[in-house]
Amino acid sequence: MHGEVTISGSKNAALPIMAATLLTDEPCVIRRVPDLSDTRFMVQILESLGASVKFEDGTLTVRAKKIRGYADYELVRKMRGSICIAGPLLGRLRKARISLPGGCIIGARPINLHLKGLAALGAKVEIEGGYVTATAKKLNGAVMFLGGRSGSTVLGTANVMMAATLAEGVTIIESAACEPEVVDLANFLNAMGANISGAGSPTITITGVEKLHGAEHEVIPDRIEVATFLIAAGATNGEVTLCGARADHLRAVIDKLSEAGVSVERSGANMIVRRKGKLKPVDITTLPYSGFPTDVQAQMMSLLALAPGISIITERIFESRFMHVSELARLGAEIEIEGPSAIVKGGRPLSGAPVMASDLRASAALVIAGLAAKGATQVNRIYHLDRGYEKMDAKLRKLGARIQRIEEK
Ligand code: EPZ
């Protein structure tokens, strides 16, 4: 593929930032919000809580003048990321009642660390009938440790940080998530008048304030979309310029791509990716930020299926994030799963076949593999893809990919 692609705003930054607008009764304007089924769900959730929301051309205007602390079960159940309304509702109303988010195909997705953090701030947490209710007469700053069995929790850090902005006193989160999306949320909260320092490091300090006011913010570019396009370009031996991509959010991915024979250069606010000769096998282990991101594991597996030799991919964040392996095998990839690792015997050319998407990043991996395979590949259930990628097929077509969306009958 050749040409230029413009990167959309980050889904995983936008969702908690949209939830954070519940912390004030004043209007907030958020720009570069990607138009995805996940962000459209979050708009519905904010409206079901009583907020007025306008979303057009990537700009979101939200005014949560009067809200209720009870989120619609059906809506929250459908999108795991909606758990991040718990912190803002507790902060603003001292009460939050939401349905326990179901697990999903990549893992159980517990929320024990979220609840541990909110309880540390003084919330009484009850779980009954598939709902979690958190109530607090007062929220007091506290020192807490949010590390879990696979490192920290991104949305758990977001939830506690948002509630703590309106608690009395100082909160210190130890073993906080360091992802750029947590930093983007902290920047938005500080623009609203919060007092947060240390975001991006394992120790975040939040000094509570009386009230938060409205603010404007532009969401950071989506680093996972960037990684997906870098890998797609590498897999098709192309040369692509990514506009609005931030290389500083992707050090681990750029490092591994370089080892695999795909070069990524910065040019101003853009990145240029091109192949450097044959693909080479590499070993990957997914880790919390700034390690190799779990959300890029599936896409990388598609690339390494094309690299002659043995690559070992170890997934350390989620317990079952290898659903794409069996589908890649249908395209001719030779991959064996050994516990938390997938052993990829790369180099055999892939040939197109009908495959089934199982989750958001697996569907991106199947599109990448289909772009590199001989013949046609039909990826079914692309509603998974539409959860997290804005107009992916149109963006790929603009780069010369032969891809089209077939409307479900
Ligand atoms: C965020 O999910 C992202 N989603 C995920 O992206 C991403 O994969 C994940 O962070 C890890 O980077 C959004 O931001 C909307 P976690 P989150 O809490 O916050 C365990 C995508 O494809 N854990 O950091 O829900 C958990 O089981 C999605 O865009 C607990 O044990 O993930 C997992 O093993 C997929 N207890 C690990 O921590 C808890 O209370 C990381 O989970 C919470 C999490």
Side-chain angles (χ1 to χ4, degrees):
M1 297 191 292
H2 291 80
E4 278 194 4
V5 62
T6 300
I7 297 301
S8 300
S10 161
K11 162 178 89 81
N12 291 348
L15 292 174
I17 285 171
M18 289 170 75
T21 61
L22 296 166
L23 285 162
T24 178
D25 58 2
E26 296 182 12
C28 294
V29 178
I30 321 280
R31 283 187 299 281
R32 197 161 55 185
V33 176
D35 188 356
L36 309 165
S37 50
D38 271 14
T39 48
R40 290 216 167 263
F41 259 135
M42 187 54 93
V43 168
Q44 289 177 42
I45 288 170
L46 295 179
E47 287 173 335
S48 77
L49 292 167
S52 67
V53 187
K54 196 158 70 70
F55 185 21
E56 57 193 21
D57 300 338
T59 297
L60 197 74
T61 309
V62 189
R63 175 149 209 191
K65 199 161 168 44
K66 262 184 74 46
I67 54 168
R68 60 198 188 106
Y70 178 98
D72 175 292
Y73 176 83
E74 272 316 302
L75 281 176
V76 172
R77 192 176 58 80
K78 282 193 199 126
M79 183 179 73
R80 156 129 190 112
S82 51
I83 184 72
C84 63
I85 62 173
L89 289 176
L90 187 67
R92 172 89 182 272
L93 301 176
R94 300 293 189 263
K95 169 178 169 40
R97 177 174 157 71
I98 53 175
S99 72
L100 276 170
C104 62
I105 198 99
I106 61 176
R109 312 300 293 273
I111 58 167
N112 59 308
L113 297 172
H114 296 241
L115 303 180
K116 173 184 179 183
L118 298 180
L121 295 176
K124 181 164 167 284
V125 173
E126 284 161 302
I127 293 183
E128 34 86 33
Y131 281 88
V132 58
T133 307
T135 47
K137 286 198 187 40
K138 240 165 64 58
L139 289 178
N140 302 303
V143 181
M144 64 185 76
F145 181 82
L146 282 192
R149 57 184 170 71
S150 333
S152 187
T153 161
V154 174
L155 290 183
T157 301
N159 259 332
V160 174
M161 195 163 66
M162 289 188 279
T165 56
L166 294 175
E168 206 166 293
V170 179
T171 296
I172 298 178
I173 305 176
E174 292 291 358
S175 190
C178 303
E179 273 68 6
E181 293 76 28
V182 171
V183 177
D184 207 30
L185 172 63
N187 290 340
F188 176 58
L189 291 167
N190 282 339
M192 293 172 79
N195 182 342
I196 300 172
S197 59
S201 86
T203 304
I204 301 180
T205 304
I206 305 109
T207 305
V209 294
E210 270 301 299
K211 200 171 158 5
L212 294 180
H213 52 73
E216 304 222 354
H217 183 77
E218 178 168 279
V219 173
I220 52 172
D222 192 316
R223 64 190 169 101
I224 309 301
E225 183 189 31
V226 172
T228 305
F229 276 94
L230 292 176
I231 292 169
T236 56
N237 206 356
E239 176 168 328
V240 173
T241 299
L242 295 95
C243 304
R246 283 191 51 174
D248 59 319
H249 288 165
L250 282 165
R251 291 261 166 271
V253 172
I254 293 170
D255 175 60
K256 278 298 170 184
L257 283 175
S258 163
E259 209 184 308
V262 179
S263 92
V264 179
E265 278 153 45
R266 296 179 57 161
S267 74
N270 301 334
M271 289 160 82
I272 299 174
V273 54
R274 58 173 75 86
R275 265 280 270 288
K276 281 180 316 191
K278 276 165 64 68
L279 287 173
K280 299 183 209 65
V282 297
D283 293 342
I284 306 267
T285 299
T286 64
L287 290 167
Y289 194 83
S290 56
F292 194 93
T294 174
D295 293 349
V296 182
Q297 179 256 105
Q299 302 91 311
M300 201 65 187
M301 192 181 289
S302 293
L303 182 75
L304 295 175
L306 305 167
I310 303 283
S311 297
I312 300 178
I313 299 178
T314 303
E315 173 58 59
R316 288 278 180 232
I317 305 296
F318 288 107
E319 58 267 34
S320 63
R321 201 168 194 174
F322 284 145
M323 303 302 289
H324 41 286
V325 168
S326 51
E327 296 307 300
L328 288 174
R330 288 177 50 75
L331 301 177
E334 274 190 274
I335 307 167
E336 272 164 51
I337 297 177
E338 284 292 326
S341 299
I343 298 154
V344 183
K345 296 185 184 114
R348 200 163 72 175
L350 301 181
S351 61
V355 288
M356 189 78 81
S358 53
D359 58 275
L360 168 54
R361 305 304 173 183
S363 36
L366 295 174
V367 170
I368 291 170
L371 289 170
K374 221 169 43 300
T377 295
Q378 178 162 326
V379 180
N380 295 299
R381 299 190 180 170
I382 53 168
Y383 57 83
H384 289 293
L385 198 70
D386 295 336
R387 281 195 43 213
Y389 289 96
E390 193 176 35
K391 305 191 187 77
M392 183 187 226
D393 46 327
K395 290 183 179 181
L396 287 169
R397 230 186 339 269
K398 193 165 160 270
L399 294 172
R402 289 182 295 170
I403 181 170
Q404 61 190 21
R405 177 181 290 264
I406 301 165
E407 291 313 327
E408 310 263 346
K409 288 186 195 56

